[in-house]
Amino acid sequence: MSIGEAIKFLESPIDVAVALRLVIATLFGSLIGWERVVKRHSAGIKTFALVSLGSAIATSLNIFLAMEPGLSADVSRIPAGVVSGIGFLGAGTILVTGRKQIKGLTTAATLWVTACMGMAIGGGYLIIGITCFCLVMISNVVLLNLSKVVEEYSKYVSLYIEVEKNGGVKMLNKWIADQGITLSSMTKSKEKTLQPSHAALIVDLDFDTKTSHKELIRKLNTLDYVGYVEEI
């Protein structure tokens, strides 16, 4: 059997072909989940595998019902419900921390796309489903590294800084001005500090030229009145 014949068989409505598509959807979902687990995100292998499988079987069932004689099933109704349901599931992975960090957006988006991939595979749109899987992996692995490089030398940076309560804020302001950096905003955070004698700040900085954020954090950590620095 040639590759073309194999793909044509897998895209057919035959029960065996549908079962194989469900296996493929589950496998692809688990691989996407594995990438999330490696990076220690909340949703993992089981979650993504089940989302992909559920989306695939829901779409396959919808098509099966639409093909049944005497039934006037809407082929878009179940997939539309899947998309809405995944939206609620993805929203549960998004968190806003006390440092005004938004976490879980990539995981939520990946869950949504994985559901779409499962629907494509379950509906027999195999080539598109496989293409979607490859693009998800490229986005989460290759583009993530590229994004880190771009963000590292961005002219804008937000920092969470813990400084001494007695004069720390004033000295930090002076140090920022001496470095030729523009202070866009500075707000007090309610985050519990590592040291009781320190105050927590959220600081937004604007550079005139591209500057390494890691180098900036290294310099801040050498200051006596600074207890902790983290980019947010």
Side-chain angles (χ1 to χ4, degrees), residues 7-21:
I7 292 174
K8 189 174 181 180
F9 168 74
L10 288 172
E11 291 177 342
S12 68
I14 301 172
D15 289 350
V16 176
V18 174
L20 289 173
R21 291 205 298 270

Side-chain angles (χ1 to χ4, degrees), residues 5-50:
E5 291 173 339
I7 292 174
K8 189 174 181 180
F9 168 74
L10 288 172
E11 291 177 342
S12 68
I14 301 172
D15 289 350
V16 176
V18 174
L20 289 173
R21 291 205 298 270
L22 296 182
V23 172
I24 293 172
T26 305
L27 176 62
F28 282 5
S30 63
L31 289 174
I32 293 173
W34 172 79
E35 182 272 332
R36 295 280 86 191
V37 166
V38 169
K39 295 173 182 175
R40 298 183 179 182
H41 292 279
S42 53
I45 295 174
K46 291 184 292 183
T47 302
F48 280 91
L50 291 173

Side-chain angles (χ1 to χ4, degrees), residues 89-147:
L89 182 62
T93 67
I94 301 174
L95 297 172
V96 180
T97 69
R99 300 177 187 179
K100 297 183 180 180
Q101 291 175 295
I102 300 176
K103 294 186 176 182
L105 282 176
T106 300
T107 298
T110 305
L111 273 172
W112 187 81
V113 176
T114 300
C116 295
M117 178 193 73
M119 287 191 291
I121 294 174
Y125 213 9
L126 197 59
I127 298 299
I128 299 304
I130 294 172
T131 303
C132 178
F133 167 73
C134 294
L135 291 175
V136 168
M137 297 304 289
I138 289 172
S139 297
N140 284 358
V141 178
V142 179
L143 294 185
L144 177 62
N145 292 329
L146 178 61
S147 177

